[in-house]
Amino acid sequence: MTALTLSTAAASGLRADAIVVGVAKGPKGPVVAPGAEAVDNAYDGGLAGILETLGATGAEGEVTKLPAPSGFKAPVVVAVGLGAVPEKDDTFSAEALRRAAGVAARALAGAKKAAFALPMADAADAGVVAEGARLGAYTFDAYKDSGKDGKNSKGPLGEVALLGGKPRDAAYKAAIARATAVTEELNRARDLINTPPNDLDPEAFAAVATAAAKEHGIKVQVLDEKALEKGGYGGILGVGAGSAATPRLVKLSYTSPKASKHLAFVGKGITYDSGGISLKPAGHNETMKCDMSGAAAVFAAVVAAARLGLEVNVTGWLALAENMPSGSATRPGDVLRMYSGKTVEVLNTDAEGRLVLADALWKASEEKPDAIIDVATLTGAMVLALGSRTFGVMANDDAFRASVVEAAEEVGEESWPMPLPDHLRKGMDSPTADIANMGERMGGGLVAGLFLKEFVGEGITWAHLDIAGPAFNDGGPFGYTPKGGTGSAVRTLVRLAELTAAGDLG
């Protein structure tokens, strides 16, 4: 993974494959951003004019490469667009810096080292640039033939040196340490999401989580199919009934001796979702390896919290199953008795995520945490409502929902508050069971949220993140987001844990 260093060296004297500078979109053409003064001076103050001649505008995501000035040890200057010039007395947003760093790192795939001379006014800016660079440099090529001596694979950018950083400053060192922990775990989540389902079934996922937990001092408990049967986890077992790969419920417990609060994260982990008997049609099942993105996010967030030593107790619950059709699969019309004791009539076996989450939510509720946040690629309806880059946030407490949305915004994740209208609950009434797993078609994402709410313990604050849109990027890469698994919600969960540790949440 891309290494990070803080450097006080002059841009001209640093040995690197490229110098990265920022350029903004001004009213009269491109404007060289702060941080690149030394580079601009080496062009006699004419860098903006040269970039304009080459067609650069400073638009977000734009990359322009040009020969470095005479005397520079790096042969190439890479100018990356930051978007519009900030208003007077304002600065570039953290997300603008994060995205620009990601774009630059991806453009430099295969390079050994690059010096980033982007705007960095303080340690916080250094942290977001570092985060963007590491996330943008991400590649997943575990299943590709790299050829003799690895020549068929460029691989990620090897090292990023942050010019203007202060290597001995405690705040800068802390910012880089945080960026390192969060990005390593987020990229681990991406790896899991991108791993083919024939290599990542529930047992394999549980093994990965167990190994990481032991490495970072996290307690782990894995309930296999026998333990699930003994415990009465009808939702998880019902979803996994059709697969030869048996389900698991994984509990990850990070505890801090200084903690006064306890958060529970619950993740949907369908390692492959065929839809079951309610089979998905062609065109809708090819990327369903990503249906465990919620569990990957929870896993990554718990490990990141442990690595950061946050003063909050965090428990992660990974509800893992494979949803397949077979003679033993749950059928539409079957009734499952859930871990909570409630019965659920299964009207559609492709509405399976809410079934595994229901068991995990009730189990998490038994520990009486201060708040529960579940994360799931739950509904296509949420994608229709919010698109492919924004996740929906529902909650049983409006103030908590607002806090989750605000936390997501702080770390650069797009989210939107969604309601839980009481009138939609009636659509899930069943003549046979306590509740059905389907309701009204319109507002399907909200219906799913209402179903989950039924399995949250009384008096416990809860939020539901439906990441069906942003969890997997079918299109081309953008900003620091790659094609494939994105690691959506990891940074939001980590931020919620940080806020809770600081006493600023709940």
Side-chain angles (χ1 to χ4, degrees), residues 393-406 416-420 462-463:
V393 181
M394 286 152 267
N396 59 4
D397 180 283
D398 288 349
F400 187 64
R401 181 184 64 187
S403 294
V404 173
V405 171
E406 184 177 339
W416 196 256
M418 301 294 282
L420 290 172
W462 158 78

Side-chain angles (χ1 to χ4, degrees), residues 266-289:
V266 177
K268 171 188 171 183
I270 305 300
T271 56
Y272 180 74
D273 182 20
S274 70
I277 297 296
S278 306
L279 194 66
K280 293 178 184 290
H284 293 267
N285 56 16
E286 291 82 358
T287 60
M288 282 298 101
K289 64 182 181 181

Side-chain angles (χ1 to χ4, degrees), residues 62-152:
E62 185 179 76
V63 174
T64 307
K65 296 182 180 181
L66 63 159
S70 176
F72 272 58
K73 291 184 178 179
V76 176
V77 170
V78 176
V80 61
L82 287 159
V85 172
E87 297 292 329
K88 186 178 180 181
D89 299 326
D90 206 352
T91 58
F92 291 101
S93 70
E95 184 63 4
L97 296 178
R98 197 182 281 115
R99 290 179 179 177
V103 169
R106 186 168 53 253
L108 289 166
K112 291 182 179 180
K113 183 176 180 178
F116 278 47
L118 293 173
M120 288 197 317
D122 52 26
D125 285 346
V128 297
V129 171
E131 191 176 280
R134 284 173 67 95
L135 294 178
Y138 172 83
T139 59
F140 183 76
D141 53 12
Y143 291 82
K144 292 186 176 181
D145 181 4
S146 59
K148 188 177 181 180
D149 299 324
K151 291 182 179 179
N152 292 345

Side-chain angles (χ1 to χ4, degrees), residues 139-415:
T139 59
F140 183 76
D141 53 12
Y143 291 82
K144 292 186 176 181
D145 181 4
S146 59
K148 188 177 181 180
D149 299 324
K151 291 182 179 179
N152 292 345
S153 176
K154 282 187 174 182
L157 171 62
E159 179 185 345
V160 169
L162 301 178
L163 299 185
K166 300 176 181 178
R168 298 182 180 180
D169 185 277
Y172 276 83
K173 288 193 289 186
I176 297 305
R178 181 190 184 279
T180 298
V182 172
T183 55
E184 282 183 359
E185 297 313 320
L186 193 153
N187 283 338
R188 193 207 304 252
R190 288 172 169 178
D191 284 347
L192 287 168
I193 297 164
N194 289 325
T195 299
N198 58 317
D199 280 345
L200 192 77
D201 61 14
E203 183 179 6
F205 195 149
V208 171
T210 298
K214 290 179 178 178
E215 180 185 353
H216 296 289
I218 299 168
K219 290 183 180 179
V220 60
Q221 179 185 14
V222 180
L223 300 184
D224 62 14
E225 69 274 20
K226 291 181 179 179
L228 292 170
E229 289 171 6
K230 184 177 180 180
Y233 294 84
I236 297 174
L237 289 167
V239 172
S243 174
T246 53
R248 298 288 188 272
L249 178 61
V250 179
K251 178 186 179 183
L252 301 168
S253 303
Y254 162 67
T255 57
S256 166
K258 297 181 180 180
S260 60
K261 295 285 187 178
H262 177 200
L263 291 179
F265 298 153
V266 177
K268 171 188 171 183
I270 305 300
T271 56
Y272 180 74
D273 182 20
S274 70
I277 297 296
S278 306
L279 194 66
K280 293 178 184 290
H284 293 267
N285 56 16
E286 291 82 358
T287 60
M288 282 298 101
K289 64 182 181 181
C290 78
D291 214 19
M292 37 59 69
S293 296
V298 166
F299 165 50
V302 175
V303 177
R307 292 181 60 175
L308 294 171
L310 300 182
E311 295 179 3
V312 58
N313 293 335
V314 182
T315 305
W317 298 89
L318 317 181
L320 309 175
E322 187 177 64
N323 187 23
M324 296 290 284
S326 74
S328 61
T330 295
R331 298 158 288 248
D334 282 356
V335 173
L336 304 177
R337 185 170 296 277
M338 312 297 282
Y339 178 71
S340 69
K342 283 187 179 182
T343 55
V344 176
E345 182 181 10
V346 179
L347 299 180
N348 187 328
T349 64
D350 196 23
E352 84 299 328
R354 65 200 70 182
L355 299 175
V356 300
L357 286 174
D359 277 353
L361 283 167
W362 193 260
K363 183 63 177 177
S365 296
E366 290 182 342
E367 297 189 346
K368 303 295 182 184
D370 293 284
I372 298 175
I373 301 99
D374 78 69
V375 188
T377 46
L378 206 61
T379 65
M382 197 58 63
V383 185
L384 291 173
L386 299 178
S388 62
R389 297 191 184 184
T390 306
F391 61 76
V393 181
M394 286 152 267
N396 59 4
D397 180 283
D398 288 349
F400 187 64
R401 181 184 64 187
S403 294
V404 173
V405 171
E406 184 177 339
E409 184 178 3
E410 284 183 27
V411 296
E413 296 204 272
E414 296 180 38
S415 70

Side-chain angles (χ1 to χ4, degrees), residues 19-23 32-33 35-36 39 47 51 77-82 115-118:
I19 305 289
V20 175
V21 299
V23 57
V32 177
V39 179
L47 179 56
L51 290 171
V77 170
V78 176
V80 61
L82 287 159
F116 278 47
L118 293 173

